[in-house]
Amino acid sequence: MTVQQPRTGVTLADFDTIMREKVPFVGDMGVVTEQLSADQARLRLPFNQRHIRPGNVICGPAIFALADIALYAVAWLVVPKADLAVTTEATVHFLSGAKPGDLLADAKILKAGKRLLIAECHIRSAVDGALCAHVIGTYAMPPEPR
Amino acid sequence: MTVQQPRTGVTLADFDTIMREKVPFVGDMGVVTEQLSADQARLRLPFNQRHIRPGNVICGPAIFALADIALYAVAWLVVPKADLAVTTEATVHFLSGAKPGDLLADAKILKAGKRLLIAECHIRSAVDGALCAHVIGTYAMPPEPR
Amino acid sequence: MTVQQPRTGVTLADFDTIMREKVPFVGDMGVVTEQLSADQARLRLPFNQRHIRPGNVICGPAIFALADIALYAVAWLVVPKADLAVTTEATVHFLSGAKPGDLLADAKILKAGKRLLIAECHIRSAVDGALCAHVIGTYAMPPEPR
Amino acid sequence: MTVQQPRTGVTLADFDTIMREKVPFVGDMGVVTEQLSADQARLRLPFNQRHIRPGNVICGPAIFALADIALYAVAWLVVPKADLAVTTEATVHFLSGAKPGDLLADAKILKAGKRLLIAECHIRSAVDGALCAHVIGTYAMPPEPR
């Protein structure tokens, strides 16, 4: 099966740069862009001992940060200059404790309207594949340039 | 008006220590506990240039981290050892761009059941008081010790 | 204190008609518009034995229907022809069992943008005032007529 | 592929009866249970002209009612007497206008804990298969009988 390329032409290296330069709070976490297709993105959060919380699991805010940037990535799949796309809302469900280890975020577009993009993201442990969290959220797309 | 004290006796200094020692991802952000009462908590996120995102506003994951720790704080208001209280879900709405500057989180208990705690959190700019975000979420409380 | 009138001029009778004619599923439930101001609406759901579920409380879908129409009401407070305003998402938290009796919905605008309206709604029992549910949601506003 | 049966032994006819007798608000809508397996349920909402709202699409509250009862169905897949299982929260995203016609709800368990069940539900048009809504929510499970 051929994976369809992003129609905006954004590459893995482009989005790694976007994270580092435009969203340093997330860039500093060392998130890596692993896959980008027409409507999906996979990002990886490398394990960091400082992300641990009681119960020896990765804390919710680190998981949310990964999901939010993965949703931002899919906005870049459909709009050429998505800098100003902003999350308007997001709902996260934590399904199982995320064991120490890398996390993978798989974000997928559910609806790409002119004004709103709705996407969901599954967060899994790269250690054992367990589904740790589900996030669904909305991005308000930047007005089209004239 | 006298503010009612937390029935668990948790103090501002206690919760500052909890953040630094138990949730270092958030502790490293320098969040400060400003008020704790019987059912409310106020925490402050000091401004950090690395929290900025395109549009010159504070990024969503930094805001979510502040809200999540404020919801954790209110769990400590009702359960003596809330280490293992865990967020099961949270919904965040971003209402206006958070200008560069400190943010204040006001968390309030909506329902304190034996098994679940539901609380909401308003995030405001300490610069101009603008309401930046609303978060509502659920904490699963740790089973009572026998 | 003078309550500020809706800037669209929509009246209680107008919105009762809107419910009955445009959203008959809700109109058939007998919901009544009790107050409309510049940014708030209060609606009442009269008690109906067929809304009961196990535990002798009002079922979730009836509560959601009341909240959703209250959020629709506040859209009519800011846009003259809000027929085509649509909910894009909503999150409901059920806080306590709603005893048999009327329910009151108080909806309030949190953000009124050109494209999106975010509002919250508190559902209380008219019997004892208990807070039964909290709903927060987004309406996509109809494009402005040219 | 063999579909695994519900471990509680609940049948299609059982759940149809549960809806009609225990949740009449939904029972009156004529919802039909079409499939039940170990962790999934499919229910159908027959089209009713009174469910229509402006834009000639099915209104949000009717869609939410269908999703909520589908989430209730999956609670019955894992607990023998789930009468008192209650929704604690749910988030719905409306993805596309639901054309006049039957709707299908596919609910699936994401996490079945002792105390909480988290499940999601996809609502599709039976006319053209379009994904109309996504709902994710939590059920608090009844305490185990002693």
Side-chain angles (χ1 to χ4, degrees):
Chain A
M1 197 185 73
T2 318
V3 173
Q4 234 187 313
Q5 294 305 304
R7 69 174 200 228
T8 55
V10 64
T11 67
L12 301 181
D14 289 342
F15 197 70
D16 279 344
T17 304
I18 288 165
M19 284 192 285
R20 281 197 310 273
E21 297 185 355
K22 294 183 194 284
V23 199
F25 177 68
V26 173
D28 292 352
M29 295 171 74
V31 176
V32 180
T33 314
E34 292 202 339
Q35 295 171 24
L36 295 174
S37 70
D39 64 352
Q40 299 194 32
R42 168 174 284 191
L43 282 78
R44 176 184 292 260
L45 174 64
F47 178 62
N48 182 330
Q49 187 64 37
R50 295 195 80 71
H51 295 171
I52 288 294
R53 58 148 283 159
N56 197 31
V57 293
I58 298 173
C59 71
I63 292 172
F64 182 84
L66 173 61
D68 187 65
I69 202 75
L71 296 175
Y72 193 46
V74 297
W76 283 85
L77 299 179
V78 292
V79 173
K81 289 275 182 191
D83 300 50
L84 295 178
V86 290
T87 316
T88 63
E89 58 78 34
T91 293
V92 53
H93 283 78
F94 295 101
L95 300 167
S96 67
K99 295 193 192 68
D102 291 5
L103 289 178
L104 294 172
D106 286 293
K108 187 175 77 169
I109 295 173
L110 295 179
K111 175 206 172 93
K114 272 186 209 161
R115 306 198 294 179
L116 295 179
L117 179 143
I118 301 179
E120 69 178 340
C121 181
H122 290 85
I123 304 281
R124 289 188 179 81
S125 167
V127 178
D128 61 4
L131 182 61
C132 301
H134 175 274
V135 179
I136 181 163
T138 306
Y139 262 81
M141 303 308 275
E144 284 180 45
R146 304 145 204 225
Chain B
M1 197 186 72
T2 319
V3 173
Q4 234 187 311
Q5 294 304 305
R7 68 175 202 226
T8 55
V10 64
T11 67
L12 302 181
D14 289 342
F15 197 71
D16 279 346
T17 303
I18 288 164
M19 283 192 287
R20 280 198 309 274
E21 297 185 356
K22 294 184 194 285
V23 199
F25 178 67
V26 173
D28 291 352
M29 295 170 75
V31 177
V32 179
T33 315
E34 292 203 339
Q35 295 171 25
L36 294 175
S37 70
D39 64 350
Q40 299 194 32
R42 169 175 284 190
L43 281 78
R44 176 185 292 261
L45 174 64
F47 178 62
N48 183 329
Q49 187 62 38
R50 296 196 80 70
H51 294 171
I52 288 295
R53 58 149 282 161
N56 197 31
V57 294
I58 299 174
C59 70
I63 292 172
F64 182 84
L66 173 61
D68 187 65
I69 201 76
L71 296 176
Y72 193 46
V74 298
W76 283 85
L77 299 178
V78 293
V79 172
K81 291 274 181 194
D83 300 50
L84 296 178
V86 291
T87 316
T88 63
E89 58 78 34
T91 294
V92 54
H93 284 79
F94 296 100
L95 300 167
S96 67
K99 294 192 193 68
D102 291 4
L103 288 179
L104 293 172
D106 285 293
K108 187 175 77 168
I109 296 174
L110 295 179
K111 174 206 176 92
K114 272 187 211 161
R115 307 199 293 181
L116 294 180
L117 180 143
I118 301 180
E120 68 177 342
C121 182
H122 291 85
I123 304 282
R124 288 188 180 81
S125 167
V127 179
D128 61 4
L131 183 60
C132 301
H134 175 275
V135 180
I136 183 164
T138 306
Y139 261 83
M141 303 307 275
E144 283 181 45
R146 303 148 201 218
Chain C
M1 198 187 73
T2 320
V3 173
Q4 235 187 310
Q5 294 305 307
R7 69 172 200 229
T8 54
V10 64
T11 66
L12 301 181
D14 289 343
F15 197 70
D16 279 344
T17 304
I18 288 164
M19 283 192 286
R20 280 198 309 274
E21 297 185 356
K22 294 183 194 286
V23 199
F25 178 66
V26 173
D28 292 352
M29 295 171 73
V31 176
V32 180
T33 315
E34 292 204 339
Q35 295 172 24
L36 295 174
S37 71
D39 64 351
Q40 299 193 33
R42 169 174 283 192
L43 282 78
R44 176 184 292 260
L45 174 64
F47 178 62
N48 182 328
Q49 187 63 37
R50 295 196 80 70
H51 295 171
I52 288 293
R53 57 148 282 159
N56 196 31
V57 294
I58 299 173
C59 71
I63 293 172
F64 182 84
L66 173 61
D68 188 65
I69 201 76
L71 297 175
Y72 193 47
V74 298
W76 283 85
L77 299 179
V78 293
V79 172
K81 291 272 182 196
D83 301 49
L84 295 177
V86 289
T87 316
T88 63
E89 58 78 34
T91 293
V92 54
H93 283 79
F94 296 100
L95 300 167
S96 67
K99 294 192 193 66
D102 290 5
L103 288 179
L104 293 171
D106 286 293
K108 188 175 76 168
I109 296 174
L110 296 179
K111 174 204 174 97
K114 272 186 211 160
R115 306 200 291 179
L116 294 180
L117 179 142
I118 300 178
E120 67 178 342
C121 181
H122 290 85
I123 304 282
R124 288 189 180 79
S125 167
V127 179
D128 62 3
L131 182 61
C132 301
H134 175 275
V135 179
I136 182 165
T138 306
Y139 262 81
M141 303 308 275
E144 284 179 46
R146 303 147 202 223
Chain D
M1 198 186 71
T2 318
V3 173
Q4 235 186 312
Q5 293 305 307
R7 69 174 199 227
T8 55
V10 64
T11 66
L12 301 181
D14 289 342
F15 197 71
D16 279 345
T17 303
I18 288 164
M19 283 192 287
R20 282 197 308 274
E21 297 186 357
K22 294 183 195 284
V23 199
F25 178 67
V26 174
D28 292 352
M29 296 170 74
V31 177
V32 179
T33 315
E34 292 203 337
Q35 294 172 24
L36 295 175
S37 70
D39 64 351
Q40 300 193 33
R42 169 174 282 191
L43 281 79
R44 176 185 292 260
L45 174 64
F47 177 63
N48 182 328
Q49 186 63 35
R50 295 195 82 70
H51 295 171
I52 287 294
R53 56 148 284 159
N56 197 30
V57 294
I58 299 173
C59 70
I63 292 171
F64 182 83
L66 173 62
D68 187 65
I69 202 75
L71 296 176
Y72 193 46
V74 297
W76 283 86
L77 299 179
V78 293
V79 172
K81 290 274 181 194
D83 301 49
L84 295 177
V86 290
T87 316
T88 64
E89 57 79 35
T91 294
V92 53
H93 284 78
F94 296 100
L95 301 167
S96 67
K99 293 192 194 69
D102 291 4
L103 288 179
L104 294 171
D106 286 292
K108 186 175 76 167
I109 296 173
L110 295 179
K111 174 204 174 96
K114 273 186 210 161
R115 307 199 292 180
L116 295 179
L117 180 143
I118 300 179
E120 67 178 342
C121 181
H122 290 85
I123 304 282
R124 289 189 179 80
S125 167
V127 179
D128 61 3
L131 183 61
C132 301
H134 175 275
V135 179
I136 181 164
T138 305
Y139 261 81
M141 302 309 274
E144 284 180 46
R146 303 148 204 221

